């Protein structure tokens, strides 16, 4: 690979915090800048779903600090994570906050930016590929196509503190495809509310579990059968749900699409 003429990568000074997205799962989907950050950081404060092969790219003296939130299991509170970032940066460490997907797409990245700003610490944002778009695309489902839609709705199906606060009936009335992040604990309720909002039961749908990883599983369905099919196939988190006409395009893509393996 010839990188002649490629832009220089920024220095990672002591006392700074970089907030980086690690992408949807496959370590090859790291951005160049995120890869650089992992290799330079003294402390890596990371989510539970970061591929271990990404963490092995850290230098030998780096400290790995897992702070992942997993449903139903004890995990650090966001205030504790914020305090950890501030503490390590004030100690003169190069601190990388490594999050799955993109830090600003249902990733609590803004909470951490606010804490760092209030502490008057310097930080850098490194966007990542968000699972709802990249995971769907690599499963053969485009977020938009000229023939199906000119808008798409991204929504969180579950919040770290509990139930989603999305107005699902209102989203059902939009008539636009939906991509739901982590919807499994509320899937049955979400499906019912979307139908109450007017979204037809025969609306195409798909579930993508463990997107872009070796454990990926895809179930094609329709809205009124989605929860039942998820149960029948044993689909669980991490998962995205795609609801709308774009879900039907996968069959066309799969005819010639080359996988990652």
């Amino acid at each position: 690979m010839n990188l002649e003429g490629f832009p220089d990568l920024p220095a990672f000074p002591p006392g700074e915090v970089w907030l980086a997205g690690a992408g949807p799962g496959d370590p090859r989907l790291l951005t160049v800048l995120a890869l650089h950050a992992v290799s330079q950081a003294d402390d890596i404060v990371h989510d539970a779903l970061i591929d271990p092969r990404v963490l092995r790219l850290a230098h030998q003296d780096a400290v790995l600090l897992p702070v992942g939130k997993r449903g139903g299991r004890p995990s650090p509170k966001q205030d504790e994570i914020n305090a950890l970032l501030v503490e390590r940066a004030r100690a003169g460490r190069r601190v990388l906050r490594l999050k799955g997907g993109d830090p600003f797409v249902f990733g609590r990245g803004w909470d951490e930016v606010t804490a760092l700003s209030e502490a008057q610490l310097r930080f850098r944002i490194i966007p990542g590929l968000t699972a709802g778009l990249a995971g769907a695309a690599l499963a053969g489902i485009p977020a938009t196509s000229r023939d199906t839609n000119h808008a798409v709705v991204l929504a969180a199906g579950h919040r770290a503190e509990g139930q989603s606060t999305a107005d699902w009936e209102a989203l059902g009335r939009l008539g636009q495809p939906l991509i739901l992040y982590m919807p499994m604990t509320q899937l049955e309720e979400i499906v019912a509310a979307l139908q109450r909002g007017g979204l037809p039961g025969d609306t195409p749908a798909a579930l993508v579990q463990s997107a872009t990883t070796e454990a990926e599983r895809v179930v094609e369905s329709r809205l009124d059968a989605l929860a039942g099919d998820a149960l029948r196939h044993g689909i669980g988190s991490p998962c995205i749900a795609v609801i709308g006409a774009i879900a039907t395009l996968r069959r066309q893509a799969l005819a010639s699409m080359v996988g990652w393996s």
Side-chain angles (χ1 to χ4, degrees):
M1 182 183 299
N2 183 3
L3 296 180
E4 183 178 354
F6 196 80
D8 291 337
L9 296 172
F12 196 161
E16 278 193 5
V17 180
W18 288 12
L19 286 80
D26 190 316
R28 293 169 293 185
L29 296 174
L30 278 174
T31 66
V32 172
L33 192 50
L35 180 62
H36 169 65
V38 170
S39 70
Q40 297 296 306
D42 298 318
D43 296 334
I44 301 178
V45 181
H46 64 89
D47 284 353
L49 295 178
I50 303 300
D51 192 295
R53 292 170 291 184
V54 172
L55 300 176
R56 288 199 291 269
L57 299 173
H59 67 73
Q60 63 180 4
D61 296 322
V63 177
L64 304 181
L65 300 164
V67 295
K69 301 177 186 295
R70 301 301 299 268
R73 305 181 196 175
S75 57
K77 299 184 184 307
Q78 187 60 49
D79 288 347
E80 295 171 341
I81 296 173
N82 296 346
L84 178 63
L85 297 177
V86 170
E87 174 191 350
R88 306 297 286 200
R90 283 179 170 165
R93 307 285 287 177
R94 300 174 179 86
V95 183
L96 174 61
R97 176 66 173 107
L98 190 62
K99 307 168 78 71
D102 180 280
F104 284 177
V105 182
F106 309 124
R108 303 297 293 271
W110 191 250
D111 298 57
E112 293 159 2
V113 163
T114 300
L116 295 170
S117 297
E118 290 175 351
Q120 298 184 326
L121 291 168
R122 291 173 59 84
F123 60 87
R124 181 185 294 274
I125 305 298
I126 303 175
L129 296 174
T130 184
L133 301 180
L138 292 176
I141 304 172
T144 64
S145 82
R146 183 176 59 183
D147 296 327
T148 58
N149 61 306
H150 298 282
V152 65
V153 177
L154 305 182
H158 181 74
R159 291 166 59 96
E161 298 83 359
Q163 300 298 298
S164 170
T165 58
D167 186 343
W168 298 110
E169 292 187 27
L171 292 180
R173 289 190 288 271
L174 291 177
Q176 298 294 338
L178 309 174
I179 297 179
L180 312 182
Y181 291 66
M182 298 295 188
M184 300 312 295
T185 58
Q186 281 188 261
L187 187 60
E188 190 171 355
E189 294 86 349
I190 291 170
V191 165
L194 290 172
Q195 290 183 266
R196 288 196 302 271
L199 199 59
D202 62 357
T203 301
L207 297 169
V208 185
Q209 177 182 306
S210 301
T212 80
T213 73
E214 294 175 355
E216 178 178 291
R217 298 173 65 204
V218 182
V219 172
E220 297 181 49
S221 183
R222 45 186 272 169
L223 181 62
D224 57 8
L226 194 60
D229 283 346
L231 184 63
R232 183 160 56 89
H233 289 278
I235 299 296
S237 295
C239 186
I240 58 172
V242 181
I243 300 170
I246 55 175
T248 64
L249 301 178
R250 180 171 187 266
R251 296 174 190 176
Q252 178 181 344
L254 289 183
S256 301
M257 191 169 91
V258 177
W260 279 89
S261 58

